[in-house]
Each structure stands twice: as structure tokens, then as C-alpha cells.
Amino acid sequence: MLTISYQQKYLMDLAKEAKDVLHQFLDLIYPPRCIICQEFLEKKARIPDNGPVPLCPSCLGGFQETPPSHCSVCSRPFESTLEDVHTCGACLMKPPRFKRIAVPYLYEGTLMDAIHQFKYGGKSHMAGTLARLLMPCAAQLAREIGNVLVMPVPLHPKRLRERGFNQSLLLARSVAKELTLQLDYLSLRRIKYTAPQTSLKKDERRKNVRKAFELTRKNVVKGEKVVLVDDVATTGNTLNECAGVLLRAGCKEVYALVLARTAGY
Ligand SMILES: [Zn+2]
Ligand SMILES: [Zn+2]
């Protein structure tokens, strides 16, 4: 049995006390603000354990969770307010190459604002908090499918230079670290410089990402289960295209883990 001596307990208490004092001191010089709306956070309003950077209750309250009634494959919400999970017509007609998209939120409200700031406002420090929001969904997926290889949806090198970081890699890295899963962000590459899917009409999206990806090291995914990580899914065309490349290289199954998806197709 593990026993903690009196001295060890004393030292642990002392360290905790010192940490609390340090946090109080830091709060005094840099009062914590909500990462989305920049409101100062009152001590009592601070939500514990929601990541390294806090969110105010109002912004967190503006997040729309994936409703209980949604497609079991693409997670698109249905009209019904009752819990109803089945495969939607579009996924039945043309089954996607990935098994399913695990996604905790809709791309709406304050989360849409947060993702915009994260991606286009160069606020890479938001990654930790956003990844934390993804964690329950990620843990559930990992429990379901066992050992997986985590791969972020890659950015084209030109886009990477413009943005400075790949938001999907930052999310994927946090998830892989937290769940001690293997991360591979080099094998899958984007070889076509494409317009953002959210800026296009439905029929343009498939064409936009066709042949946009390639796998540089084909044998790394052979017989593996892969979880693709992305920040936003619209039609699922990007994930589908990536899944196709992975499956052709002998990957066993492909799943997707996404922070937010649009409510429509
Ligand atoms: Zn806020
Ligand atoms: Zn569907």
C-alpha cells in the first residue's frame, strides 16, 4: 500500500499553498479575462478545470451542443428534439469513407466566434482551452475503438505560412498527449491550395478538395485505425477525401474528431 509520510504530506501542502499564493499574485497583476469576449472574470464566476485559459459563463453558455437527435455517421442534426440517432438519407445514399464524425458542438454562436479568433486572429494560445472542450468526445471515441493513430487534417504549406500554425495540429497534439495516443502530423499532406470550405457553396466543396491530399509514407497507416482531427466540418468532404487516401494505403478504419460542425450539409 502506498503511504505518505507526515513530512511528505507537509511538503505537498506547502507546495500547494505556495502555488495558490502565486496564482493569487498573478491574478492581481494579470486579472484573468475570458478568451472570447475579453471580459474580466470574477473569481466566483471562474469555471474550474476548463483548461489553461478561462471562459466566462456567458460565452460557455453560448455554445450549442450537438443535439441528441443527429446522424450516427456525419452527426448532422435532425429537426426532431427527441433523442434519435440513425443514419441520415445522404449517408445512406452515399456512405462516407470514414466511419463517423465525433463532434461535441455546432459551428454557431460564441464557439464560432472563438474558432474565428483562434484561426484567423492568430490566437494559437486558445488551442488548449478548445482542445479541452473536445476531450470528453475524444476520450469516448478512444474507449470505443481502442488504439488509434491521431492525424490532424493538414494545411497546405502556403496556408501554413500565411496563418503561422495549423489549428488542427494544435488540437490533435493536445488530444494525443492527454489520451497518450500516437500522433502523426507529417505523413498526410495537402498538395492543393484550396479555398476554405466554409466560403464555398455545397456543390463546389467536393470539387475543391478532390485530389487535395497525399500520403508520403504509405506503410505507416497499414492495418491501423486513424482518427482525423479538424476544427470545423461542413459537408464532411475534406474528411472524406483524407479518409479515401488513408484507406487506399491499407488503413483499417478512419474516424473523425471535430470541434464543431455546421448544422446543414
Ligand atoms: Zn466571455
Ligand atoms: Zn449523415
Side-chain angles (χ1 to χ4, degrees), residues 34 37 56 59:
C34 171
C37 68
C56 78
C59 284

Side-chain angles (χ1 to χ4, degrees), residues 97-100 226 228 243 246-247 251-256:
R97 296 180 185 117
F98 51 80
K99 287 275 174 194
R100 72 180 183 93
V226 170
L228 287 166
L246 296 171
L247 292 171
C251 173
K252 207 162 144 195
E253 285 170 352
V254 180
Y255 295 80

Side-chain angles (χ1 to χ4, degrees), residues 71-76 78 86-92 96 261 265:
C71 171
S72 55
V73 180
C74 71
S75 283
R76 187 178 67 86
F78 298 138
H86 64 262
T87 309
C88 76
C91 288
L92 277 174
R261 72 151 290 151
Y265 281 111

